Amino acid sequence: MLVDSHCHLDFPELKADLDGVLSRMRSNGVSHALTISTTLQTFPAVLAVARSKENLWCSAGVHPDELRDGREATTAELVALADDPKVVAIGETGLDYFRVEGDTEWQRERFRAHIRAARETGKPLVVHTRESAADTVAILREERAAEVGGVMHCFTESWEVAQAAIDLGFLISFSGIVTFKNAAALKEVAKLVPLANMLVETDSPYLAPVPFRGKTNEPGFVKHVAEEIARLKGVSFEEVAQRTTANFFSLFRHAAA
């Protein structure tokens, strides 16, 4: 069985047919999924989805792409949100400089608050990084994120960044992007990341893998990510499924298999 380590089941594209999405997930051999928080406002809906099924969990956090709305989530507030057995991670947090102009210090402070909440709760981090890898790794080091570990989700960076994250006790998660024909560099990184340090995900409803590229993504499609990883590494699909599932439950230790 596989686990989709990162999806957004509260988003309208998936929530509108959640029972169908979960049924197709099971039929594709995906036993569990982690649905990810992106805003304070939508966290209750994320938690409700996680509570609705035994095989779902969620995170608590604010995505770095979410602009400031006059109030930032404090470490104490994140700790309080995470005080639920269905919340097994802090995030999605991190840095994203792609769409931001001018001062980005507010992103770094938000990131630090999340790392401190992770250390206080003992729950690992779900980290997003885009055009910000050096700062992301530096802050993880400064805030002692290695004490709790986490995952670099939807990884698209270099092997050097992957190695730095692995050295901090983080797993590297590959999404449908690794199946794209124009992702040659990422495919090379996937060959280098040991299975012991790897997760697979969909980031659905976005980034559907080949052969569904351009369509709405869903957790059942994580099978195609695992198949591509197996092809790239020259191992069996079953080995990728077994190792990444074991890695998920080892990292997200508050989740029960």
Side-chain angles (χ1 to χ4, degrees):
M1 301 295 280
L2 284 160
V3 176
D4 184 0
S5 66
H6 192 113
C7 57
H8 298 280
L9 295 175
D10 67 306
F11 283 20
E13 300 94 326
L14 299 179
K15 192 173 183 180
D17 181 29
L18 186 58
D19 286 343
V21 166
L22 296 178
S23 176
R24 290 187 294 276
M25 182 178 100
R26 287 189 298 271
S27 67
N28 277 286
V30 184
S31 59
H32 300 79
L34 178 60
T35 187
I36 301 294
S37 171
T38 57
T39 72
L40 292 178
Q41 293 79 6
T42 57
F43 172 76
V46 175
L47 181 59
V49 170
R51 285 175 170 170
S52 72
K53 302 292 180 182
E54 188 177 350
N55 62 332
L56 302 178
W57 297 280
C58 70
S59 66
V62 181
H63 194 289
D65 256 353
E66 290 297 319
L67 298 178
R68 292 168 290 181
D69 62 1
R71 183 179 69 84
E72 282 291 333
T74 65
T75 294
E77 184 171 13
L78 291 166
V79 168
L81 293 177
D83 187 25
D84 186 288
K86 278 291 186 174
V87 179
V88 299
I90 300 294
E92 144 179 26
T93 184
L95 302 174
D96 191 324
Y97 297 163
F98 181 65
R99 295 186 181 89
V100 179
E101 295 181 0
D103 177 44
T104 53
E105 181 58 25
W106 61 274
Q107 272 202 9
R108 292 185 286 277
E109 286 305 311
R110 178 187 289 173
F111 188 22
R112 292 180 191 277
H114 281 70
I115 299 171
R116 291 165 188 168
R119 288 176 50 224
E120 189 167 334
T121 60
K123 296 183 177 182
L125 289 153
V126 176
V127 176
H128 168 111
T129 183
R130 189 174 187 188
E131 298 194 1
S132 56
D135 283 356
T136 299
V137 171
I139 291 174
L140 289 172
R141 288 175 177 150
E142 290 167 12
E143 295 291 338
R144 308 200 313 275
E147 292 179 11
V148 289
V151 55
M152 304 295 283
H153 110 88
C154 195
F155 195 80
T156 56
E157 303 293 335
S158 67
W159 164 241
E160 288 71 25
V161 175
Q163 199 165 37
I166 290 169
D167 289 345
L168 287 167
F170 277 67
L171 300 182
I172 308 300
S173 183
F174 292 96
S175 70
I177 294 173
V178 79
T179 71
F180 296 175
K181 291 180 179 178
N182 62 353
L186 185 62
K187 291 176 191 287
E188 293 304 311
V189 174
K191 291 178 184 178
L192 293 171
V193 173
L195 279 177
N197 305 105
M198 189 182 292
L199 293 178
V200 289
E201 65 171 88
T202 59
D203 202 11
S204 53
Y206 309 119
L207 302 174
V210 174
F212 301 102
R213 189 173 183 184
K215 301 183 184 302
T216 298
N217 200 3
E218 55 183 69
F221 294 171
V222 78
K223 175 180 72 172
H224 299 282
V225 179
E227 287 173 344
E228 178 66 4
I229 294 295
R231 187 190 71 80
L232 290 168
K233 298 187 78 65
V235 300
S236 69
F237 168 80
E238 290 75 15
E239 183 176 358
V240 173
Q242 188 275 327
R243 295 293 294 274
T244 56
T245 297
N247 293 343
F248 178 89
F249 287 108
S250 177
L251 175 63
F252 298 106
R253 45 201 171 270
H254 293 84

